[in-house]
Amino acid sequence: MSTPLQPSDEQAKVITGCLLLLSIIALAGVFYVTQAVLVPFVIAIFIATIVTPLVDLLVLKWKMPQIIAISLTLLLVLSFGFLICMTLIYSTQQVIYKAENQYSEKFGIFINSVFEAAKEADDLPVRKLEEDTKEPQPETLDQIEATPEAPPTVTVDDGEAVAAEKPEIGWFQKMGIDLDTLKKATMDYMRNSLKSIAVSTMQSALNFTTTSFFVAIFVIFLLAGRDPNAVVKNEIYFEIEQKIRSYISTKLVLSLITGTLVGVTLKLFGLELALVFAILTFLLNFIPSVGSVIATLLPIPVAFAQFSDSPWVIAGVILIPGAIQMTIGNGIEPKLMGEGLQLHPVTVLLALSFWTLLWGPIGAILAVPITAAIRIVLMRFESGRTAGNLLAGILPGGSTTVA
C-alpha cells in the first residue's frame, strides 16, 4: 500500500501564496462591485473607532445612560459632518461661478496675449532681415552728388544670395501651423475644461453628501450595538482598534492644523478660493506622500490667473504652503506616529494604487488603515506571517528590510 506524498515546506508556501493571490483577486472583484455599500460602511467603522472612547468616558466615568451618551456622540459627529458638507457645497458653488465667469475671462486674455506675442516673434525675423538688406537711399540731390562713386563691384550674386536667404513666410506657417486656428482651438478647449471641472466638482460634492448620509446611518447602528461595559477579549480586534485609532486621531489633528495654516496663508496673500484649498488640503493630507504634493499644486492655476503680473506672489502661494506641508509631514508627523503602522513606503504606494483603483479618492484615503488592519490579521497566523512581514518590508529568511 503506497503512502500519499506530502508536500514539502517550500511547496506548501507556494500553494499558500497562490491561494492567497487568488483570494485577493476574488475579494478585489467583490469590493469593486459592492463599493456603494462597503465604502460608507468602512468609513463608519473608522469614525466609530475614533469616537468610542468618548462614549466610554460618558458611560463609565460620568455614569450617563448609554442612550444619552450615544445620542450626544452622534450629535457631535453629525454636526461636524454637516459643517463639512455645507462648507464643501458653498466652496463648490464658488468654484463653479468663478470657473465659468472670472477665470474663463482671465485665461482668455492670457491665451490671447500669448498668441499675439507668438505672432510678433514669428514676424520679427522677416522684418529684421528686410531692414538689414534694404539699401540706404539718399534724401536730396546734393547728397547724391556728394556721394563718392564706389568702385564697380558685382552685386548680382550677393543680391541673389540675400533673396535666397529671405524667408517668404514665418516659422509657424512654414511648419504648417495656423496660429489663429490654434488659438481658437485652445480657447474652446479651455472653456470646455473649466466647465468639466465645475461639473465634476459639483458631482463630487453631491456624492460626498450622499455618502455622508449612509455613513451617519451606519455610525448610529455601530454605536447603538456596542456595549461600553463589555471588556474586549479578542486580541486581534483590540490591536487593530488601538493602532487604527491612534493613526486616524493623529492624522486628523495634523490634517486640521495643516489645512488651517495653509488656508490662513493663502488668505493673507489674498488668493481667491482660499477656503476651498484649505478644505482640500485637510482631506488630501490623509493620503500619504501623494496628497501633500497635490494639495500644494492645486492653487497654481488660480494663482496664475489672479496674480499674473506678480511672480513673487505666485511663488509665495506655492512655496510657503509647500514648506508647511513638508515641515508637518516629514518633521512633526513621524515623531508623533512613533512606531506607526509598520508599513514599508513601497507597500504604502502599492496600497494607494490598489485601493484608489477600486474605490477612487475615498480608497486612497482609506488605503493605509485598511492595509495596516490586514497586516495585523496576517501576523496572527503562521501561514500569513510571511506576507505580513513583506508588507512591513521584511524579506523572508531574515530581518533585512527592503531598500
Side-chain angles (χ1 to χ4, degrees), residues 48-109:
T49 302
I50 296 174
V51 301
T52 45
L54 179 60
V55 178
D56 296 342
L57 176 66
L58 296 176
V59 173
L60 300 179
K61 190 172 182 178
W62 292 5
K63 304 301 180 181
M64 281 189 181
Q66 183 176 353
I67 184 65
I68 297 178
I70 293 176
S71 300
L72 291 176
T73 305
L74 285 175
L75 181 62
L76 178 63
V77 173
L78 293 177
S79 300
F80 184 74
F82 178 77
L83 180 62
I84 292 179
C85 289
M86 294 303 297
T87 306
L88 189 61
I89 292 174
Y90 170 77
S91 303
T92 303
Q93 291 176 348
Q94 293 295 314
V95 171
I96 293 174
Y97 173 76
K98 292 183 180 296
E100 292 182 348
N101 296 282
Q102 183 176 351
Y103 295 144
S104 179
E105 180 181 354
K106 288 187 176 181
F107 275 114
I109 296 173

Side-chain angles (χ1 to χ4, degrees), residues 269 271 300 302-318:
F269 276 108
L271 185 73
I300 293 179
V302 179
F304 272 97
Q306 186 177 349
F307 308 113
S308 57
D309 55 344
S310 302
W312 290 108
V313 177
I314 297 175
V317 168
I318 299 172

Side-chain angles (χ1 to χ4, degrees), residues 82-386:
F82 178 77
L83 180 62
I84 292 179
C85 289
M86 294 303 297
T87 306
L88 189 61
I89 292 174
Y90 170 77
S91 303
T92 303
Q93 291 176 348
Q94 293 295 314
V95 171
I96 293 174
Y97 173 76
K98 292 183 180 296
E100 292 182 348
N101 296 282
Q102 183 176 351
Y103 295 144
S104 179
E105 180 181 354
K106 288 187 176 181
F107 275 114
I109 296 173
F110 175 74
I111 292 173
N112 187 59
S113 63
V114 169
F115 277 93
E116 290 298 328
K119 285 183 178 180
E120 292 180 1
D122 192 37
D123 295 338
L124 184 61
V126 178
R127 294 199 304 266
K128 185 177 180 181
L129 188 56
E130 290 176 350
E131 293 175 359
D132 293 340
T133 57
K134 185 178 180 181
E135 297 182 357
Q137 300 293 334
E139 298 179 357
T140 63
L141 185 59
D142 296 336
Q143 290 179 350
I144 296 176
E145 294 176 351
T147 303
E149 294 184 359
T153 55
V154 180
T155 59
V156 178
D157 294 338
D158 294 338
E160 290 178 355
V162 171
E165 292 177 359
K166 177 182 175 181
E168 297 179 356
I169 58 176
W171 184 83
F172 286 99
Q173 293 180 356
K174 187 177 180 181
M175 297 297 295
I177 300 174
D178 188 357
L179 288 177
D180 293 331
T181 305
L182 183 60
K183 181 175 74 172
K184 184 178 181 303
T186 306
M187 295 285 288
D188 293 339
Y189 175 77
M190 181 270 299
R191 292 192 183 94
N192 294 331
S193 298
L194 289 175
K195 289 181 180 179
S196 63
I197 291 173
V199 172
S200 62
T201 305
M202 176 61 76
Q203 290 178 350
S204 300
L206 293 176
N207 292 335
F208 182 81
T209 305
T210 305
T211 304
S212 300
F213 174 75
F214 288 106
V215 168
I217 294 177
F218 283 125
V219 170
I220 291 173
F221 282 96
L222 287 174
L223 292 179
R226 184 178 181 276
D227 185 8
N229 297 305
V231 179
V232 179
K233 297 181 179 180
N234 191 317
E235 294 182 1
I236 298 178
Y237 177 78
F238 182 76
E239 184 179 359
I240 292 175
E241 186 180 41
Q242 292 297 319
K243 288 194 173 184
I244 299 302
R245 180 182 298 161
S246 175
Y247 172 80
I248 296 179
S249 302
T250 306
K251 201 74 175 176
L252 180 65
V253 174
L254 292 178
S255 299
L256 187 60
I257 294 174
T258 305
T260 303
L261 292 177
V262 170
V264 171
T265 302
L266 297 178
K267 193 67 176 179
L268 291 176
F269 276 108
L271 185 73
E272 297 175 346
L273 303 177
L275 179 61
V276 178
F277 294 122
I279 296 174
L280 292 176
T281 301
F282 168 75
L283 296 175
L284 290 172
N285 200 253
F286 284 92
I287 304 176
S289 305
V290 183
S292 59
V293 178
I294 298 175
T296 304
L297 299 179
L298 279 178
I300 293 179
V302 179
F304 272 97
Q306 186 177 349
F307 308 113
S308 57
D309 55 344
S310 302
W312 290 108
V313 177
I314 297 175
V317 168
I318 299 172
L319 295 179
I320 295 181
I324 294 173
Q325 296 272 10
M326 185 175 298
T327 302
I328 295 178
N330 298 331
I332 300 176
E333 184 174 328
K335 294 181 179 180
L336 295 180
M337 288 293 183
E339 185 181 4
L341 301 177
Q342 298 181 347
L343 294 176
H344 194 270
V346 176
T347 303
V348 173
L349 292 177
L350 292 176
L352 285 175
S353 303
F354 177 76
W355 290 106
T356 304
L357 182 64
L358 290 182
W359 290 350
I362 299 297
I365 296 175
L366 301 176
V368 172
I370 291 176
T371 308
I374 293 174
R375 181 186 177 276
I376 293 173
V377 174
L378 290 174
M379 292 299 293
R380 292 295 178 174
F381 300 96
E382 185 66 29
S383 58
R385 191 162 297 171
T386 301

Side-chain angles (χ1 to χ4, degrees), residues 12-25:
K13 290 181 179 180
V14 171
I15 294 173
T16 303
C18 293
L19 292 176
L20 184 62
L21 181 60
L22 293 175
S23 301
I24 292 174
I25 295 174

